[in-house]
């Protein structure tokens, strides 16, 4: 396992790779950071990458690719139809998951669009452990509704439960009885749960959900975008699988699922995505939509080079030294922050370290978007950008009132094989400084608010002059230091 204990007794993650190509990054002075975030409407999505020191927004498309992935790109077959590249990728996916059919798409949300078009009827309801923003939007556009059935402990910030992403089985049974199986479009499991701290789901939970769905004739859909981290947690946190190979775990998940879809930007560390399905009719129904919305059946909107890289990246997902990198670095950052009294989601999950904005900024009401404000403050204080995962990421209710998120989190993502331990420690130090001065942070209001997915390109404005006060305090404490 890529974690070691030093002679001093400190436990640290050990990088199981060496950098052979580097990319220059910039750390702007604090005054420029303030001007830059103001120009971006206090929305970290609208920052230009050249102005960001550590890009912790997401791991989507930002994971480092391996030398073998780059080498594979050189053998790409760019044929419009019948590309050998497609068949190589298809075989890798069939071998890993043991499922029959594969449909390519340009990314994960394109898969969600196709699945929703085929399975969601107006007035139907999808049941899930927890929603993801684009999943919910596609179901809503198709005329359906979404119910979240995550276990109660999944919404607790501090916990020792190893699998906080599990669906509540009693709630699932009750929902099926209340709604009627014919009114349920599908049951969706997200492995693991993006919006509540990257928390994994257990194999026991997958088995039970699969058993219930098959007994009722309900389709079970698995979002495997974050599966690499979830595989690591199943292997290391569940005694049943400590001596089980990663490929056996993935095949068990494939056996239990009716549909698996994924974002290749996450799972395969290359841009693209895909849907795996066993049922012939369901495959045929979905196949008709791929040429219409994505591209021909043997590329689905992806470049052949990305498909070659994805095939290798998926195979590398079976290597414990590869899939351990994000969870161990997330754990390292969470431990650093906890040691400094910073409230974070525990146990550390996948994808990134999640800071609890409600506890960090207790004086900012949810109507003033505390997670978005904290995310902007992180950038001012340290030049790194995280992602708001709170009320600003929700959609307003039909009557225009605010839909308050159950958790107000700022995610500091840890793309695979990207950051060094010194950068992790720098991040923790600047977050700790900000926590000491958290009384300076104020709220935000929307200045430009799109109706759908407003967190992507909406613009906000600060309430008062708190960003200027924060910048001045930083300069007082750090002098000419960045």
């Amino acid at each position: 396992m890529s974690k070691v204990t030093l002679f001093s007794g400190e436990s640290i993650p050990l990088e199981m790779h060496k950098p052979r190509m580097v990319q220059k990054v910039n750390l702007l002075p604090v005054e420029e950071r303030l001007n830059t975030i103001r120009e971006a409407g206090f929305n970290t999505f609208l920052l230009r990458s050249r102005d960001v020191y550590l890009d912790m927004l997401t791991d989507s498309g930002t994971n480092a690719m391996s030398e073998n992935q780059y080498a594979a790109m050189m053998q790409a077959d760019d044929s419009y139809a019948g590309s050998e590249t497609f068949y190589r990728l298809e075989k890798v996916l069939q071998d890993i998951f043991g499922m029959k059919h594969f449909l390519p798409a340009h990314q994960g949300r394109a898969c969600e669009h196709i699945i929703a078009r085929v399975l969601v009827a107006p007035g139907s309801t999808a049941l899930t452990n927890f929603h993801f923003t684009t999943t919910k939007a596609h179901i809503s556009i198709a005329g359906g509704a979404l119910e979240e059935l995550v276990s109660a402990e999944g919404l607790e910030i501090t916990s020792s439960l190893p699998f906080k992403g599990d669906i509540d089985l009693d709630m699932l049974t009750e929902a099926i009885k209340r709604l009627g199986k014919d009114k349920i479009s599908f049951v969706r499991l997200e492995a693991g749960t993006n919006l509540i701290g990257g928390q994994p789901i257990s194999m026991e939970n997958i088995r039970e959900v699969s058993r219930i769905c098959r007994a009722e004739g309900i389709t079970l859909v698995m979002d495997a975008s974050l599966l690499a981290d979830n595989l690591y947690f199943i292997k290391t946190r569940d005694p049943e699988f400590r001596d089980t190979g990663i490929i056996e775990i993935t095949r068990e998940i494939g056996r239990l699922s009716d549909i698996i879809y994924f974002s290749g930007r996450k799972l395969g560390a290359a841009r693209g995505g895909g849907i795996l399905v066993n049922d012939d009719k369901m495959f045929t129904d979905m196949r008709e939509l791929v040429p219409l919305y994505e591209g021909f059946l043997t590329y689905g909107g992806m470049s052949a080079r990305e498909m070659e890289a994805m095939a290798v990246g998926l195979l590398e997902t079976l290597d414990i030294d590869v899939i351990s990198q994000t969870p161990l670095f997330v754990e390292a950052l969470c431990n650093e922050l906890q040691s400094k009294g910073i409230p974070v989601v525990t146990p550390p999950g996948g994808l990134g370290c999640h800071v609890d904005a409600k506890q960090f900024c207790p004086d900012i009401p949810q109507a003033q978007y505390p997670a978005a404000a904290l995310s902007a403050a992180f950038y001012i204080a340290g030049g790194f950008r995280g992602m708001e995962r709170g009320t600003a990421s929700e959609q307003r209710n039909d009557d225009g009132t605010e839909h308050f998120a159950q958790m107000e989190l700022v995610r500091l993502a840890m793309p695979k094989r990207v950051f060094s331990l010194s950068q992790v420690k720098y991040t923790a130090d600047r977050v700790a400084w900000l926590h000491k001065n958290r009384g300076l942070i104020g709220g935000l209001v929307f200045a430009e608010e799109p109706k759908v997915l407003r967190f992507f390109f909406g613009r906000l404005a600060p309430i008062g002059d708190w960003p200027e006060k924060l910048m001045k305090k930083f300069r007082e404490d750090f002098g000419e230091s960045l």
Side-chain angles (χ1 to χ4, degrees):
M1 208 65 65
S2 47
K3 187 176 182 180
V4 296
T5 301
L6 303 180
F7 182 65
S8 64
E10 180 185 4
S11 181
I12 63 169
L14 191 65
E15 294 91 340
M16 299 304 291
H17 58 271
K18 57 183 179 182
R20 298 181 62 187
M21 182 174 71
V22 296
Q23 185 177 31
K24 189 179 186 301
V25 293
N26 299 310
L27 180 53
L28 300 177
V30 64
E31 292 84 0
E32 291 186 36
R33 299 200 293 266
L34 175 57
N35 291 334
T36 299
I37 193 67
R38 183 185 290 114
E39 291 172 2
F42 291 86
N43 183 347
T44 55
F45 270 97
L46 301 182
L47 290 169
R48 297 182 65 165
S49 63
R50 71 182 186 186
D51 297 325
V52 174
Y53 173 50
L54 302 178
D55 198 346
M56 297 177 163
L57 187 77
T58 181
D59 68 338
S60 184
T62 60
N63 292 305
M65 292 204 306
S66 70
E67 59 187 347
N68 291 327
Q69 286 183 283
Y70 281 110
M73 294 171 81
M74 296 299 102
Q75 66 175 346
D77 176 2
D78 282 313
S79 301
Y80 182 89
S83 165
E84 285 302 308
T85 290
F86 167 81
Y87 294 110
R88 278 191 283 269
L89 176 58
E90 180 185 53
K91 185 176 188 306
V92 167
L93 284 161
Q94 289 171 336
D95 288 346
I96 290 175
F97 289 104
M99 299 186 78
K100 187 175 179 181
H101 301 294
F102 166 57
L103 291 168
H106 78 274
Q107 62 184 99
R109 68 198 55 174
C111 302
E112 292 173 338
H113 170 232
I114 291 171
I115 292 169
R117 287 289 297 261
V118 170
L119 296 182
V120 178
S124 68
T125 300
L127 306 175
T128 186
N129 49 349
F130 209 79
H131 84 280
F132 183 62
T133 51
T134 55
T135 317
K136 186 175 182 178
H138 283 301
I139 291 170
S140 177
I141 290 170
L146 187 69
E147 284 193 23
E148 296 167 341
L149 308 176
V150 72
S151 60
E153 199 162 3
L155 299 175
E156 296 178 4
I157 296 296
T158 303
S159 172
S160 59
L161 189 70
F163 295 100
K164 286 169 64 177
D166 282 355
I167 202 167
D168 186 303
L169 298 174
D170 290 335
M171 291 173 67
L172 176 61
T173 302
E174 185 279 329
I176 293 172
K177 183 177 180 180
R178 168 171 45 86
L179 296 168
K181 63 182 182 181
D182 293 336
K183 285 291 186 178
I184 296 173
S185 48
F186 55 84
V187 172
R188 171 184 174 273
L189 290 178
E190 186 177 3
T193 46
N194 190 312
L195 297 184
I196 58 173
Q199 296 298 311
I201 58 176
S202 65
M203 184 66 81
E204 179 183 4
N205 195 245
I206 299 171
R207 286 169 175 164
E208 283 303 302
V209 174
S210 179
R211 179 187 63 78
I212 292 169
C213 287
R214 288 180 176 171
E216 297 288 348
I218 298 170
T219 301
L220 176 57
V221 177
M222 173 69 67
D223 180 349
S225 300
L226 297 176
L227 186 64
D229 296 343
N230 211 115
L231 290 170
Y232 171 81
F233 291 125
I234 288 175
K235 184 167 178 62
T236 58
R237 294 181 181 178
D238 187 337
E240 179 186 346
F241 295 98
R242 286 199 182 132
D243 298 321
T244 304
I246 299 297
I247 193 166
E248 282 76 27
I249 299 174
T250 59
R251 285 174 178 167
E252 175 72 354
I253 292 172
R255 184 185 68 80
L256 296 168
S257 305
D258 297 308
I259 298 173
I260 292 178
Y261 76 92
F262 65 94
S263 166
R265 296 166 69 96
K266 295 180 181 293
L267 185 60
R271 287 170 174 80
I275 302 170
L276 293 156
V277 59
N278 277 325
D279 184 79
D280 292 340
K281 182 182 184 307
M282 200 174 293
F283 167 73
T284 301
D285 291 343
M286 291 182 183
R287 182 179 61 183
E288 295 175 357
L289 300 178
V290 173
L292 184 61
Y293 294 108
E294 298 299 306
F296 192 66
L297 294 172
T298 51
Y299 75 94
M302 287 186 278
S303 77
R305 289 167 180 78
E306 295 283 1
M307 292 168 74
E308 292 284 4
M310 188 188 300
V312 174
L314 288 164
L315 289 172
E316 290 176 348
T317 299
L318 305 179
D319 185 340
I320 189 68
D321 284 337
V322 172
I323 64 173
S324 68
Q325 290 297 282
T326 288
L328 289 179
F329 270 75
V330 170
E331 181 183 26
L333 180 54
C334 285
N335 289 345
E336 281 280 332
L337 293 179
Q338 276 192 295
S339 72
K340 300 175 188 296
I342 315 298
V344 298
V345 173
T346 60
L351 183 55
C353 173
H354 292 73
V355 180
D356 179 14
K358 280 186 179 180
Q359 291 186 57
F360 200 110
C361 305
D363 296 329
I364 303 177
Q366 277 193 277
Q368 295 179 12
Y369 312 111
L374 183 57
S375 183
F378 281 166
Y379 178 73
I380 295 170
F384 49 89
R385 67 167 165 181
M387 184 187 292
E388 189 273 357
R389 299 280 70 169
T391 297
S393 290
E394 296 283 349
Q395 295 178 195
R396 286 188 181 271
N397 298 317
D398 292 339
D399 63 1
T401 57
E402 192 65 81
H403 181 82
F404 294 113
Q406 293 171 289
M407 304 176 85
E408 292 284 346
L409 305 177
V410 178
R411 183 180 77 204
L412 299 175
M414 283 285 164
K416 290 180 181 62
R417 301 174 292 198
V418 173
F419 299 131
S420 67
L421 195 56
S422 68
Q423 290 170 327
V424 169
K425 289 183 177 291
Y426 165 82
T427 301
D429 178 81
R430 292 305 190 255
V431 172
W433 174 85
L434 191 62
H435 187 251
K436 181 181 178 182
N437 295 282
R438 60 191 179 278
L440 295 174
I441 307 171
L444 299 171
V445 294
F446 269 101
E448 298 177 21
E449 184 178 355
K451 291 183 178 180
V452 179
L453 300 176
R454 60 186 181 176
F455 68 93
F456 274 140
F457 40 85
R459 290 180 176 274
L460 301 103
I463 299 172
D465 61 351
W466 67 261
E468 288 76 14
K469 291 178 179 177
L470 188 66
M471 181 271 290
K472 289 177 181 177
K473 180 60 175 172
F474 182 93
R475 182 56 74 201
E476 288 174 9
D477 288 356
F478 289 97
E480 294 304 312
S481 170
L482 296 177

